[in-house]
Amino acid sequence: MRDRWLIDGHWLGDRCAAWLTVHDPATGAEIARVPSAGETEARQCVDAAAAAGRGWAAQPAEVRADLLDRAAETLDRRLADLARGITLECGKPLRESEGEVRYSSDYLRSAAREIRTLHEEPFETGRAGTRGVAVHEPIGVCAAVTPWNFPLAMLARKVAPAVAAGCTVVAKPAEETPLSALAFAEALQASGLPPGVLNVIVGEPAPIVDTWLADPRVRKLTFTGSTETGRLLLRGAAEQVIRCSMELGGHAAFIVLAGADVDQAVAGAMAAKFRNAGQTCICPNRFLVHRSIATAFTARLALAAAELVPGRGVDPASTLGPLINDAGVGKVRRHVADAVMRGARLVSGGQTEPLPGCLDRFFLPTVLADCGPDMLCFREETFGPVAPVMPVSDAEEAVRVANASPWGLAGYVFGPRPEAEAVARRLACGVVGVNEAAPSNARAPFGGVKWSGFGREGGPWGLMEYLTVKYLAIGQEG
Ligand code: SIN
């Protein structure tokens, strides 16, 4: 297990004065101690990335793509160890962590495919004698700041297109879950990534990120995290006019139309809502269910949710891990209490489950009936295993309530196909699953609108975030 920083190809930090402790969120046990970097190391990362950038950008696309393919194979070979590492530091069940490792190698392969097929684009300028060519160039040094809920995949989906494009990266994972990021960096290094192309440090966010944003050599910031932090980073990025991609909070609506197959909708709700104990940005946060089936949907969802088995992620029987910390548990409790106080009916869950040897962080899957837009859980992201259901009279009402949120990352519509697709097209968000509970895919564009941010990750859209377009206006000679 790597528990030092990677800067310019070297694993550093042994003599650091300050250290961060990484804990198992299920038990609170110490997993590792990692040196805590500051301004000096942040600057060293940029020095290394800027120096490596010249050579890396000059490599043929095929060389960069081959490297990413090899890195994907390394991740696949190390799947069991990487998955165990994710589970230990972030708590999710092992099976979900294995899925996250595969998801990460998908991003590496997808970026490799995209850069192989990217070509210069000649075009007609409309001016006699002048030919136009659009040339794609790497944007330069990219700063990546990643969250704890997908500690491997969120870094992979930033680093893969950056490296494919010919950029170099300085990265800071969340303090809660730095080990998966370091393991990812080691896997890329073992696959032949040259020193300095990817540099990873761990530490308190402000000194590191402020140093990066003040450095004119950093040309791109890519961030996944809360809207509140995103706003701060955007202000910081303004000074050097750094290009940004922001994947911020979500508040997904899950719409079930009249005539929907209730069992299919319940299965979809289970998969989308309780993944990672509800701690994903695209988890449904508001269930808007047609009145004619709301009672059946709610009852079946509560039955299915009761089948989930809370437990440590490393226990193969567990299907619901802990929340990441006590603050997360506190927020979930507040949302449930507020909903009940405002008239919601608690159908199942609503409390934590004490488990031997564990912290009090296992919130039972919770289903709330008769919810409404005035409740906290309908106004902000819960980031926990709570499914509040509001009956709606028709698709119009569902769309109106769904779009009333300032966030717009993901949405879901279950129901008869032509109508479900038409409703999906009216939702103000970046990703919509239509009779599909797991829309995320490394080949697809992922990102939001409004307070959920901007920029896309995945497929050709993700690659373009790391390229600038240079226009060559080529006239006649003489
Ligand atoms: C996220 O929670 O931000 C990522 C979820 C996904 O990629 O499916």
Side-chain angles (χ1 to χ4, degrees), residues 103 107 147 149-150 154 157 224 247 275 279-282 383 409 440 446:
Y103 190 36
Y107 275 103
N149 62 341
F150 288 88
M154 295 303 101
R157 81 175 177 197
T224 297
E247 199 260 90
R275 174 178 169 226
Q279 301 171 112
T280 85
C281 301
I282 63 167
F383 233 53
L409 182 56
S440 305
F446 185 100

Side-chain angles (χ1 to χ4, degrees), residues 7 86 226 243 254 278-279 288 300 302 322 324 402-403 440:
I7 306 178
I86 293 172
S226 71
R243 189 162 147 195
F254 188 105
Q279 301 171 112
L288 307 171
R300 286 186 222 175
I324 189 74
N403 287 349
S440 305

Side-chain angles (χ1 to χ4, degrees), residues 11-12 34 84 90 120 164-165 171 246 250 282 305 323 325 351 390 406 434:
W11 295 93
L12 303 174
V34 183
R84 195 175 160 79
C90 135
E120 290 188 359
M246 294 273 141
I282 63 167
L323 296 177
N325 53 31
Q351 61 195 36
M390 170 179 167
V434 180

Side-chain angles (χ1 to χ4, degrees), residues 51-64 137-138 163-168 197:
R54 290 181 278 279
W56 187 242
Q59 291 289 337
E62 195 56 42
V63 170
R64 288 182 254 128
E137 295 185 342
V163 164
C167 298
T168 53
V197 175

Side-chain angles (χ1 to χ4, degrees), residues 115-330:
I115 197 66
R116 283 195 177 99
T117 53
L118 183 80
H119 298 294
E120 290 188 359
E121 295 166 34
F123 61 96
E124 290 299 328
T125 61
R127 194 182 294 165
T130 304
R131 199 161 48 83
V133 183
V135 179
H136 299 104
E137 295 185 342
I139 194 162
V141 176
C142 303
V145 180
T146 55
W148 51 261
N149 62 341
F150 288 88
L152 191 74
M154 295 303 101
L155 184 61
R157 81 175 177 197
K158 292 168 168 35
V159 171
V163 164
C167 298
T168 53
V169 180
V170 296
K172 191 204 82 63
E175 301 93 281
E176 293 87 344
T177 57
L179 303 174
S180 301
L182 296 170
F184 176 77
E186 205 274 324
L188 265 66
Q189 186 185 46
S191 310
L193 192 73
V197 175
L198 171 62
N199 307 275
V200 182
I201 52 174
V202 180
E204 295 299 328
I208 296 175
V209 179
D210 290 352
T211 302
W212 289 346
L213 295 184
D215 192 321
R217 295 171 297 174
V218 174
R219 297 316 313 143
K220 162 94 191 177
L221 169 67
T222 170
F223 171 67
T224 297
S226 71
T227 301
E228 205 182 340
T229 306
R231 283 195 184 101
L232 282 175
L233 295 179
L234 283 169
R235 283 188 203 113
E239 192 56 35
Q240 296 294 339
V241 194
I242 292 172
R243 189 162 147 195
C244 294
S245 306
M246 294 273 141
E247 199 260 90
L248 307 177
H251 191 33
F254 188 105
I255 296 174
V256 187
L257 299 171
D261 176 329
V262 175
D263 289 331
Q264 185 191 9
V266 167
M270 289 298 299
K273 175 69 242 185
F274 297 110
R275 174 178 169 226
N276 200 10
Q279 301 171 112
T280 85
C281 301
I282 63 167
C283 272
N285 218 56
R286 301 166 290 159
F287 288 81
L288 307 171
V289 184
H290 191 268
R291 256 174 227 296
S292 59
I293 49 175
T295 305
F297 174 86
T298 309
R300 286 186 222 175
L301 182 62
L303 276 179
E307 304 264 290
L308 291 174
V309 182
R312 288 190 69 197
V314 286
D315 174 354
S318 153
T319 51
L320 190 79
L323 296 177
I324 189 74
N325 53 31
D326 294 338
V329 177

